[in-house]
Amino acid sequence: MSQKPLPGFRDFYPEQFAERAHIFETWRRVVRRYAFLEYDGPPLEPLELYTQKSGEEIVTQLYNFIDKGERPVAMRPEMTPTFARMVGAKAQTLRKPVRWFSLPQLFRYERTQKGRLREHFQLNVDMVGESDVLADAELLSIAIEIMRDFGLSDQDVRARVSDRRLLNGLLEHLAIPESLWTAVYAVLDKLERQPRELSAEKLAAAGLDSETADVILGFGAMDFATVCARYGDAPVVKPHLDRFADYLAHLEALGVASWIRFDLTIVRGLAYYTGIVFELFDNVGEFRAICGGGRYDNLLKSLGGADLPALGFGMGDVVIGELLRSRGLMRSSGTALEFWIAQSPEQADAPRLALQTAAAMRHAGGIVEYALKSQKLDKQLEAGRKAGASAFVIVDSASATAPWRVRRSGHDDQIFTSLEALCAWASSTNGSQS
């Protein structure tokens, strides 16, 4: 039998699990500050939940099968359809705006590459029932605050933002037929990743004249001020510029303006997003997008649910883990051993007292281990050192006047005459060296 997991899947040994726990704890800590509630759904859903949103072509990317009840089902490749289904089922009774988040494990049968596996965990943050642009600013500020809590700065990460409605207004102003917008979006989406000549060829093949194509090719270099100066008087553009200006003002008030870069090439899902969209990238350009999201006001209605405005983002654990490790910022949320209980084997009642000591210290909140077989004292202490204990509690005998000695590196031994006093000390120090 192979000793390796399936391609694109991961084993989480304690060291890797501790890193994953650190990512999860940071996600939860930050998102809860914004008053979002955690939810979850089933990892197996009806196949039609995904084909209804993304079309039949998504089936090639799924782990899908016919279950024993003859139902077409799939392992969830994303969380938003489940979220939409759950919100739609109780839309009339939920307090608006709905502010929910989840940390699902997702599955996609696709080619593995750097930053993309066949399974990953993802933070999903979604809001339903609010159309004001302040909700969009609130959403992006959550993603940026998460970066801060990981120890990253605006010198490490940049949020690239755009607005599909603004882009639509610009295309309309340029008299580009709506039937060609999808082709223009596809070129903008790859503008950084393909030669300018190839982008021009694709625009020409779509039917754009060279002058209009040159304007489109210049979108990637235009900041917000330039767009305002050039198109601010156009009736089909101005309302979207005004709304986006409000969005930027909210982001400044929320203290994240230095992280923002206006970028018309951020398009995201063509049939999915309807308004402001964003993606976070490392400034070096070493990794895939750290996270992405935006406004998707039509999704709940399209899935047969309530007609409510909605927005959200997803942030996977693979890319953020790679980024943190590359910057020396990955921490471990593993359980560090605090106290090792050792006993004097010469005393007949010491083993029982050692177990009572371990139980009491655990009840006091300490992380405690001891040898599970009889050993000489020096062997016990050596085992504790290898286990990484920060303090050793040496138990003598219940008949001794001071049965407990605490030994720590760089400190004189501390003597305790009662188990209550020892537990009080352990609770106050939690094994620290203070």
Side-chain angles (χ1 to χ4, degrees):
M1 186 178 69
S2 173
Q3 299 299 309
K4 296 180 179 180
L6 290 170
F9 288 77
R10 296 170 289 175
D11 290 324
F12 290 91
Y13 287 90
E15 296 82 0
Q16 290 79 44
F17 192 92
E19 292 182 350
R20 192 181 90 186
H22 169 59
I23 293 174
F24 283 18
E25 289 167 8
T26 303
W27 282 346
R28 284 191 169 101
R29 182 172 63 248
V30 174
V31 179
R32 284 171 175 161
R33 291 178 196 156
Y34 286 75
F36 279 68
L37 303 176
E38 188 168 4
Y39 75 100
D40 199 3
L44 193 69
E45 289 275 24
L47 180 62
E48 64 179 352
L49 187 66
Y50 306 113
T51 57
Q52 187 176 354
K53 171 181 175 286
S54 303
E56 293 293 333
E57 60 272 15
I58 196 176
V59 175
T60 61
Q61 303 175 23
L62 302 182
Y63 284 91
N64 64 292
F65 57 94
I66 304 297
D67 73 3
K68 293 182 180 180
E70 299 299 317
R71 293 174 290 259
V73 297
M75 299 295 290
R76 60 186 178 199
E78 57 176 316
M79 196 64 178
T80 305
T82 296
F83 170 76
R85 175 180 60 75
M86 292 173 64
V87 170
K90 296 190 175 184
Q92 300 301 317
T93 59
L94 293 172
R95 183 180 75 87
K96 310 299 186 302
V98 175
R99 301 163 74 99
W100 287 3
F101 78 97
S102 62
L103 276 65
Q105 187 175 21
L106 306 177
F107 307 87
R108 280 186 182 262
Y109 191 81
E110 55 188 1
R111 185 172 63 88
T112 61
Q113 50 189 299
K114 182 178 180 180
R116 184 183 291 273
L117 302 175
R118 289 178 174 175
E119 61 79 21
H120 71 282
F121 293 88
Q122 180 170 293
L123 169 66
N124 278 68
V125 180
D126 293 274
M127 193 183 306
V128 170
E130 182 53 69
S131 59
D132 194 275
V133 72
L134 180 53
D136 298 84
E138 175 93 337
L139 185 74
L140 180 52
S141 71
I142 296 171
I144 293 173
E145 193 65 26
I146 289 170
M147 297 298 103
R148 282 177 169 158
D149 259 45
F150 278 130
L152 297 160
S153 74
D154 57 7
Q155 300 302 304
D156 300 302
V157 173
R158 187 56 45 91
R160 295 162 61 178
V161 299
S162 184
D163 191 333
R164 291 285 295 277
R165 295 161 297 190
L166 171 57
L167 187 55
N168 291 347
L170 290 169
L171 299 185
E172 184 178 352
H173 175 72
L174 294 171
I176 299 175
E178 189 171 350
S179 60
L180 302 182
W181 288 4
T182 298
V184 174
Y185 287 146
V187 170
L188 286 173
D189 185 49
K190 295 183 178 179
L191 203 57
E192 281 189 349
R193 304 190 299 275
Q194 67 185 12
R196 180 184 176 92
E197 295 76 15
L198 180 57
S199 296
E201 289 175 8
K202 290 182 177 181
L203 292 175
L208 270 66
D209 60 73
S210 59
E211 183 178 349
T212 304
D214 284 342
V215 174
I216 296 298
L217 295 174
F219 276 2
M222 296 175 65
D223 60 19
F224 186 65
T226 302
V227 176
C228 290
R230 190 170 299 178
Y231 301 104
D233 294 330
V236 294
V237 179
K238 188 178 187 306
H240 307 304
L241 290 174
D242 291 343
R243 180 179 52 246
F244 202 85
D246 290 341
Y247 174 65
L248 294 177
H250 294 324
L251 291 170
E252 182 177 7
L254 288 166
V256 298
S258 63
W259 298 69
I260 308 302
R261 173 188 159 193
F262 176 75
D263 188 345
L264 285 172
T265 69
I266 299 300
V267 176
R268 297 194 60 75
L270 299 181
Y272 184 73
Y273 290 99
T274 59
I276 289 174
V277 290
F278 64 86
E279 293 182 353
L280 268 60
F281 291 90
D282 70 285
N283 282 341
V284 177
E286 185 179 356
F287 302 101
R288 304 172 65 92
I290 300 166
C291 83
R295 182 168 286 278
Y296 54 92
D297 285 342
N298 299 329
L299 181 65
L300 269 72
K301 184 179 180 181
S302 70
L303 292 178
D307 187 6
L308 290 169
L311 62 160
F313 73 80
M315 181 184 299
D317 72 310
V318 178
V319 175
I320 190 62
E322 291 177 345
L323 176 60
L324 294 176
R325 280 186 284 271
S326 74
R327 303 295 187 268
L329 294 172
M330 178 58 84
R331 302 174 190 169
S332 170
S333 294
T335 300
L337 179 61
E338 294 174 336
F339 306 106
W340 182 274
I341 309 297
Q343 57 182 277
S344 174
E346 290 80 17
Q347 303 295 330
D349 58 349
R352 179 178 178 81
L353 182 58
L355 295 181
Q356 293 173 339
T357 300
M361 294 182 73
R362 285 167 175 164
H363 291 159
I367 302 171
V368 176
E369 190 177 348
Y370 50 84
L372 296 175
K373 61 183 179 181
S374 179
Q375 292 179 325
K376 293 182 178 180
L377 182 58
D378 60 344
K379 290 284 189 181
Q380 297 176 57
L381 297 177
E382 178 63 20
R385 281 189 286 271
K386 289 181 178 179
S390 57
F392 299 85
V393 178
I394 302 172
V395 179
D396 191 2
S397 169
S399 61
T401 57
W404 297 276
R405 283 181 292 140
V406 174
R407 183 170 298 171
R408 294 180 292 163
S409 178
H411 292 259
D412 293 333
D413 285 2
Q414 288 179 263
I415 305 300
F416 292 90
T417 59
S418 72
L419 189 53
E420 291 76 11
L422 173 65
C423 290
W425 169 83
S427 181
S428 65
T429 62
N430 285 325
S432 71
Q433 298 297 310
S434 60

